[in-house]
Structure formats: structure tokens, C-alpha cells
Amino acid sequence: MNRARMIDSPAYATARPTLSVLIPFLRDDPTALLQCLDGEAPALEGAVELVVLDDGTGDATLTTALMGEVGAARLPVRLITLPTNEGRSQGRNRLATAARGRTWLFLDSDMRPDRPDFLQAWLALVRQDDPAVAFGGFSLLQAPTDGQFAVHRALAARSECLPVEVRRLTPEKYVYTSNLLVRRDVFESEAFDPGFTGWGWEDVEWAMRVSRAHPVLHVDIPATHMGLDTVESLMRKYEQSAANFARVIDKHPDIIATYPSYRAARKIRSIPGRGVLRGMARAWALRDGLPVASRAFALRLYRAALYAEAV
């Protein structure tokens, strides 16, 4: 395991947190998020800590700047810097070992709270209901509106940024580690599977396991996903995720069989020349001049064609 370097804020040593906010990052700069959260410090009175993990970025300038942020923070903050990357699952498992609170909030570094009392709302939920697992929701309220991200915005609005009433219909499906509350005892019984590599599905698979033993609560404490991707970047992520999709099928065939992505992949699997279909969908999605809705459909078709090789 990597030898980690740790830096603590002045308030860290004496704090006795109820809630630990766990923030992993790789090559992103979490400064804006840390500053936003630190604005709630007076109202929290040490009940919430931040644990931030640099999963092998290797940027000395960024590390130095973050050390300055941590030194000036009013919240209890620990910054953990790894010399090399450990991966999404293992990195989050490492964050969990550093958490001191009884309940943890996994929050991605490219998220921005949509309400000024974001941490206060989560803390109130913990104190009142003590949920095993809760997801606060995504939004696009603060996300960039550049044309290069239009397709991702369309996809996210359709499949991820859903109202709480919709998410509650299939609670295990709409769980992402970007705004996810987990009680310590639940995570200690079901950690993230380090067998997942690259991008995608490790959080959904974890929720599938957990949902067999614990209720998954959906609440309205949203944050904006600021890190929208270009079509090219999404394609690279989808290509990485195909093996992870196959791993989910192997572990949870009963649940994944109900997902539209699985049913679409099964249909494409039976089509002769599906490689040609995949190539056409890819080319269509990459054409800038076409309507955003049609490019988003083509990108979903491209993903389904990739997953067809795994079903």
C-alpha cells in the first residue's frame, strides 16, 4: 500500500465529528468545494470533518496550494496525499479507514452543494433518522453550459438528475458515490469491491449488495455535478466500463436484468454485424452539427453496443 502523507487543519485534532465527509480526487482541484463547505463551519461546531484524498495526482504545486487551504480551514480537515494512484474503489476504502465519524458522506471533488446549509441538512438527517444509506441527488443547476458539454447535459438530465420521487422507485439503481451517505457499520460489512477497475459501476454494484440487507433512502439534498465531459471523454469512459458491467452481470444477474441498459445490450447482441452498428453510432454521436438529442441517443446506443459484448 502507498505511503501516505497527511496534513491536518488546526481544528482537526480536538474535533469529535458525527459526520465525516470523504472527498477523493485525481488531477482535479478540490479547492472551490473545500471553500464552499468551510463556509458552514460556524454552524457545525466541529460535528462534521472533511477527509480529502489525493489519489496519486503527483502535482507538487497543487499539493502545496491545498496544504495552505487546509491550514486556513475552520472545519476539521485531513488531507491525505498518495504518491501513486490506487483506483476508485481502493481509494474510497482508504478514505473510510481515515474517517472518525459514525456516518460518512462520500462527495466527489467536482460537486458543488445546491444549498447553503448542505452539510447542516445532512447532519440533521443523521441525527434525526440515522439512515443506513442515503443518496442526496444530482443537479445541473451550476454546471457549465458550454456547447461541448451539451450532450452530457442531456444524458445527465435524462438518467441521473432525477427528482427524489423517481429515484425512490428503484432505490439501488440511483446511487452514486458523488453525494452518498453511508453509516459506518454498513460500510464495514459491505465495502467497495476493489475488483472493479477503470471507470463505472462500482458504486451501483455496491448499492445492489447493500440493498439486500438495508433500506436505501433517497432525499432531496442535491449537489451539482460540475465535471461534465465531452462526447469523446464519455466514450473513453464507456469503453473502460464494459468490463465492470460484465462484473455486475456476474454478481447480480437478477437485478441487472431489469435495467434498460442490459436489455438494450441483449438485443444488440443478437444483431449480425453489430460492430458496424457500434461504429455508426460512434460517428453519429461525434458529429457536432447534429441535434443534441439525436447525438445523445447515438451515444446511448454506442454504450449499449459496447455492453453487448459483455452480456
Side-chain angles (χ1 to χ4, degrees):
M1 184 173 285
N2 290 338
R3 185 180 298 275
R5 180 180 183 183
M6 292 182 288
I7 302 293
D8 299 335
S9 71
Y12 183 85
T14 58
R16 298 295 180 266
T18 299
L19 175 63
S20 297
V21 183
L22 309 183
I23 306 172
F25 74 94
L26 176 63
R27 291 185 288 274
D28 292 323
D29 183 351
T31 299
L33 174 60
L34 299 184
Q35 292 175 345
C36 179
L37 297 176
D38 199 56
E40 294 191 60
L44 297 169
E45 300 179 333
V48 178
E49 69 173 358
L50 310 183
V51 186
V52 186
L53 176 72
D54 179 350
D55 195 7
T57 296
D59 185 336
T61 301
L62 177 59
T63 299
T64 299
L66 288 174
M67 289 170 61
E69 290 292 331
V70 171
R74 293 169 293 174
L75 283 173
V77 184
R78 167 163 283 185
L79 171 65
I80 304 171
T81 304
L82 300 181
T84 58
N85 178 255
E86 289 189 346
R88 291 164 60 91
S89 293
Q90 188 59 38
R92 289 186 172 93
N93 289 340
R94 183 190 274 271
L95 275 168
T97 65
R100 299 180 295 174
R102 182 172 179 270
T103 302
W104 309 333
L105 176 66
F106 288 96
L107 188 65
D108 280 355
S109 61
D110 59 357
M111 302 297 286
R112 297 292 181 276
D114 286 340
R115 48 192 288 181
D117 63 342
F118 179 77
L119 293 180
Q120 296 165 70
W122 276 120
L123 182 61
L125 179 70
V126 170
R127 286 173 168 169
Q128 293 168 15
D129 299 333
D130 192 28
V133 180
F135 182 65
F138 276 168
S139 88
L140 294 167
L141 292 178
Q142 305 173 68
T145 57
D146 310 43
Q148 63 179 327
F149 304 127
V151 174
H152 194 180
R153 282 185 68 93
L155 289 171
R158 174 189 173 94
S159 61
E160 296 176 354
C161 300
L162 301 174
V164 66
E165 297 82 8
V166 174
R167 289 186 272 123
R168 285 172 178 163
L169 297 176
T170 48
E172 89 291 334
K173 181 178 181 179
Y174 298 108
V175 170
Y176 310 99
T177 48
S178 46
N179 189 14
L180 176 66
L181 189 82
V182 185
R183 207 170 57 214
R184 175 186 290 272
D185 62 294
V186 175
F187 193 85
E188 287 177 346
S189 67
E190 293 287 358
F192 291 107
D193 180 355
F196 284 88
T197 59
W199 182 87
W201 291 98
E202 78 283 349
D203 43 10
V204 177
E205 188 279 328
W206 175 86
M208 290 176 179
R209 274 185 283 130
V210 169
S211 67
R212 298 182 188 274
H214 302 279
V216 177
L217 179 68
H218 281 269
V219 296
D220 194 19
I221 310 177
T224 294
H225 179 208
M226 302 293 290
L228 296 181
D229 289 305
T230 63
V231 170
E232 293 88 344
S233 179
L234 282 174
M235 285 181 171
R236 288 192 293 271
K237 288 181 175 180
Y238 292 161
E239 289 156 8
Q240 291 178 37
S241 73
N244 286 350
F245 184 70
R247 189 172 179 84
V248 175
I249 295 171
D250 183 62
K251 293 165 74 71
H252 306 280
D254 57 328
I255 298 178
I256 198 68
T258 68
Y259 284 22
S261 54
Y262 176 83
R263 294 197 296 266
R266 290 281 294 178
K267 290 180 180 178
I268 293 174
R269 177 78 178 183
S270 65
I271 297 175
R274 58 182 179 273
V276 175
L277 174 65
R278 184 170 66 244
M280 292 174 61
R282 187 179 193 280
W284 190 273
L286 287 169
R287 291 187 61 181
D288 288 336
L290 296 175
V292 169
S294 67
R295 294 179 68 199
F297 173 79
L299 191 54
R300 292 196 304 273
L301 184 61
Y302 177 68
R303 180 180 57 190
L306 287 170
Y307 288 178
E309 305 307 316
V311 299

